[in-house]
Amino acid sequence: MKPNDTRGIWFSKEVFYEALGLVRDPETGMLKETKLPYMEAEVFPDGLRIYLAAYSENHIDENKKGKLTVVLVPTGEGKPGGPLHFDILSNPDQPPSGLDEAGGEDQKDTQFNDGQLCPPPVCDPEGLLNF
């Protein structure tokens, strides 16, 4: 690995909750399952698929140009004879947002690419696996 390569990506637990369709009940504080939009319907997620990706070399954010990242996509349970798990995408024809030159805020969708890259710039490599 080169010194400036992405070594790790941190996501808050709230990102995972949202990706899995879990919302906190304001009265009890407990997490409850909700459905996510899929095509013209809604489904309960059964897991996450993690895609490896890279930001464009033309990305507006200098700290992200060409850096490795991951895109989290919730999955749903497949039907007999079909795929075991299918990606829950509200717009399957749209690539993951935030990877191209425009940068800026990710569009709200059922894909998540808003982790904190390490390095740079705001990362203390202390505590990361050293391999």
Side-chain angles (χ1 to χ4, degrees):
M1 292 185 89
K2 295 179 233 162
N4 227 12
D5 283 348
T6 305
R7 290 187 47 214
I9 303 168
W10 180 85
F11 289 90
S12 70
K13 63 184 176 184
E14 285 77 18
V15 169
F16 285 96
Y17 295 160
E18 186 178 356
L20 290 168
L22 300 172
V23 295
R24 198 168 296 282
D25 184 298
E27 292 180 19
T28 66
M30 302 291 291
L31 292 173
K32 61 180 183 177
E33 282 189 299
T34 59
K35 292 182 176 182
L36 294 176
Y38 175 68
M39 310 290 258
E40 300 296 320
E42 292 185 333
V43 295
F44 286 110
D46 72 342
L48 286 176
R49 183 166 284 123
I50 301 173
Y51 286 97
L52 303 177
Y55 290 100
S56 165
E57 290 291 344
N58 299 321
H59 200 281
I60 196 167
D61 184 340
E62 288 291 325
N63 294 311
K64 291 184 177 179
K65 284 185 177 185
K67 297 287 185 199
L68 299 176
T69 189
V70 295
V71 178
L72 308 176
V73 177
T75 60
E77 187 173 354
K79 295 182 178 169
L84 185 57
H85 303 280
F86 63 90
D87 290 349
I88 299 173
L89 296 169
S90 56
N91 186 354
D93 297 325
Q94 175 183 332
S97 57
L99 297 177
D100 63 8
E101 344 20 72
E105 291 297 312
D106 288 347
Q107 301 168 18
K108 250 322 164 201
D109 196 3
T110 53
Q111 62 202 4
F112 299 85
N113 174 31
D114 49 2
Q116 177 188 343
L117 301 180
C118 181
V122 287
C123 170
D124 180 1
E126 191 71 31
L128 286 179
L129 294 175
N130 190 16
F131 58 91

